[in-house]
Amino acid sequence: IPLNDKGKLDVRSAVGTDGFLYVMKDLGLKEPYVGTVSLVSGEIAEDLTSYYYISEQQNTAISLGVKIERDYSVGCAGGMIVQLLPDASEDSVAALEKIIGDMEPITTLIDKVEDSDADERLRLLSKEIFGRIPEEFAIEELEIKNMDWNCDCSFERLEKILMTIGERDLKEIIEEDGEAELVCQFCLKKYKFDKAHLEKILASI
């Protein structure tokens, strides 16, 4: 796909608008929560903003960016999500819209602090973003921390899923296949259960 009129990757044309955005959340319940909205623009940040507004009734501003180098490698990538508290004033909303509208691309801000160590990078980036907010809107920093990608899947959690299929289906798997493989729908990690493990699960039902 050719670059867009700004000389950037044309994500809108690549994604299109003929489809849906699915957001899956593990809330610790029996089944994950899944929200669905129609795509509105093909721009990922805009479609996520639409999801929050339609599915969760939450006014949200989202900025996402990926800087692609001339050799097509990823130079840097990042994003920002800003959500209004329920009692936010109209002045706060107007000020926020102006700040985000005037803000440099998120990748430009990340590029400025890229050479710092991880902890310092977060503080410098926070200063770059929030340092633009007028003094009348007092900023209270609650916490700054590195985010990690973790999944809480385990053999124990997958065992519980196997228990829910019932004795009859579990016996059928043991007799016909002798083993089972389950894949976590969040991190795609594979869990293999041999015949002895399946028989142990069957005995515990």
Side-chain angles (χ1 to χ4, degrees), residues 36-49:
T36 307
V37 295
S38 297
L39 297 177
V40 295
S41 74
E43 287 288 350
I44 297 171
E46 291 177 13
D47 287 319
L48 283 171
T49 300

Side-chain angles (χ1 to χ4, degrees), residues 91-161:
D91 288 343
S92 298
V93 174
L96 177 61
E97 289 176 345
K98 185 177 188 312
I99 290 163
I100 293 175
D102 295 341
M103 195 174 71
E104 294 177 278
I106 192 76
T107 46
T108 302
L109 299 178
I110 294 171
D111 228 8
K112 290 180 180 180
V113 301
E114 192 65 25
D115 293 333
S116 310
D117 63 66
D119 290 333
E120 185 63 17
R121 191 181 307 145
L122 284 170
R123 295 197 175 278
L124 291 172
L125 186 56
S126 175
K127 187 177 179 181
E128 281 282 346
I129 295 170
F130 298 115
R132 303 161 188 271
I133 297 177
E135 291 182 4
E136 61 263 31
F137 298 101
I139 295 296
E140 181 184 356
E141 183 182 299
L142 299 178
E143 183 179 23
I144 291 183
K145 67 176 182 179
N146 285 307
M147 309 246 335
D148 294 315
W149 161 249
N150 290 304
C151 187
D152 60 357
C153 64
S154 64
F155 268 107
E156 290 73 22
R157 290 193 70 174
L158 275 295
E159 279 178 351
K160 291 178 181 177
I161 292 174

Side-chain angles (χ1 to χ4, degrees), residues 9 21 23 30 32 34 42 45 54 63 65 73 86 98-99 102 105 113 141 147 160 165 167 174 178:
L9 292 177
L21 169 67
V23 176
K30 188 174 181 180
V34 180
I54 295 171
S63 175
S73 64
K98 185 177 188 312
I99 290 163
D102 295 341
V113 301
E141 183 182 299
M147 309 246 335
K160 291 178 181 177
I165 70 174
E167 289 185 56
I174 293 171

Side-chain angles (χ1 to χ4, degrees), residues 158 181-191:
L158 275 295
E181 180 181 275
L182 274 69
V183 180
C184 174
Q185 57 190 323
F186 292 102
C187 69
L188 304 183
K189 183 177 179 180
K190 295 180 179 180
Y191 290 85

